[in-house]
């Protein structure tokens, strides 16, 4: 019928490419850290795939502020970094690098850093996706706020970060 698809008993409908489920998480709190130790940002979402052949489309952005030179971040599944560049000598291998602080007005701003990845987790267990972060050196990094973070109606905004997961049938 126009609004119902009926599948005969013993048969399975396969519809590769369609979205089976969507999970989205919005992080509106702030997080702060310092130094080169990799840390969770608080931006996380969990999905339980219905099939081991499903792919998970991960999409979103994180607002990053910095009080020192560079901030590195990674897209992580569980405890595994899943989106990062190729190894190249001793260079950091990251999903992306956040805002650079050059000693000027960058401390009054935060930068939305987008990410997008089609993952193949090969599981039907609950799977956590998150963003992890670290500073280039000893300085501070911030999520959803600026380094200066002055309480002023016209300056130093607070932001929101989002991660969305979609299970894609194969």
């Amino acid at each position: 019928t126009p609004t119902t698809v009926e599948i005969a008993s013993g048969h399975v409908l396969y519809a590769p490419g369609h979205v089976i489920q969507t999970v989205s998480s919005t992080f509106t709190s702030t997080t702060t850290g310092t130094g080169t130790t990799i840390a969770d940002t608080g931006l996380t979402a969990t999905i339980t795939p219905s099939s081991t052949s499903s792919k998970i489309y991960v999409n979103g952005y994180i607002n990053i502020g910095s009080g020192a030179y560079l901030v590195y971040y990674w897209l992580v599944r569980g405890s595994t970094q899943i989106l990062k560049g190729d190894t190249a000598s001793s260079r950091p291998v990251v999903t992306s690098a956040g805002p650079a602080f050059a000693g000027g007005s960058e401390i009054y701003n935060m930068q939305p850093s987008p990410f997008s990845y089609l993952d193949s987790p090969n599981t039907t267990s609950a799977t956590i996706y998150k963003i992890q972060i670290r500073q280039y050196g000893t300085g501070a990094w911030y999520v959803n706020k600026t380094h200066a973070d002055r309480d002023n109606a016209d300056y130093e905004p607070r932001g929101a970060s989002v991660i969305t997961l979609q299970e894609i049938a194969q």
Side-chain angles (χ1 to χ4, degrees):
T1 65
T3 60
T4 305
V5 175
E6 294 182 23
I7 308 302
S9 178
H11 295 274
V12 177
L13 173 66
Y14 291 101
H18 83 275
V19 175
I20 297 171
Q21 62 173 313
T22 301
V23 174
S24 189
S25 178
T26 302
F27 182 67
T28 58
S29 298
T30 62
T31 308
T32 303
T34 59
T36 59
T37 301
I38 295 173
D40 289 347
T41 60
L43 182 58
T44 182
T46 302
I47 193 166
T48 303
S50 59
S51 170
T52 57
S53 65
S54 292
K55 295 193 181 293
I56 306 298
Y57 178 59
V58 185
N59 187 34
Y61 63 91
I62 184 166
N63 279 300
I64 300 173
S66 179
Y69 189 55
L70 276 176
V71 177
Y72 303 134
Y73 76 90
W74 295 266
L75 175 60
V76 177
R77 178 196 340 109
S79 60
T80 303
Q81 297 171 349
I82 58 171
L83 176 59
K84 57 186 179 180
D86 291 337
T87 300
S89 189
S90 61
R91 294 172 182 86
V93 180
V94 301
T95 298
S96 190
F101 174 63
S105 60
E106 301 90 353
I107 63 169
Y108 306 116
N109 200 7
M110 60 188 156
Q111 174 180 312
S113 298
F115 51 89
S116 179
Y117 185 65
L118 187 62
D119 188 33
S120 301
N122 192 30
T123 187
T124 55
S125 298
T127 304
I128 297 171
Y129 289 87
K130 60 188 175 183
I131 298 295
Q132 291 184 326
I133 195 169
R134 82 168 175 88
Q135 184 56 258
Y136 160 81
T138 59
W141 54 262
Y142 309 92
V143 174
N144 291 336
K145 71 175 187 174
T146 68
H147 171 72
D149 198 37
R150 295 178 295 182
D151 187 6
N152 185 303
D154 295 321
Y155 304 106
E156 283 66 277
R158 292 287 177 96
S161 299
V162 176
I163 185 170
T164 301
L165 312 174
Q166 292 187 310
E167 180 182 2
I168 311 295
Q170 297 303 298

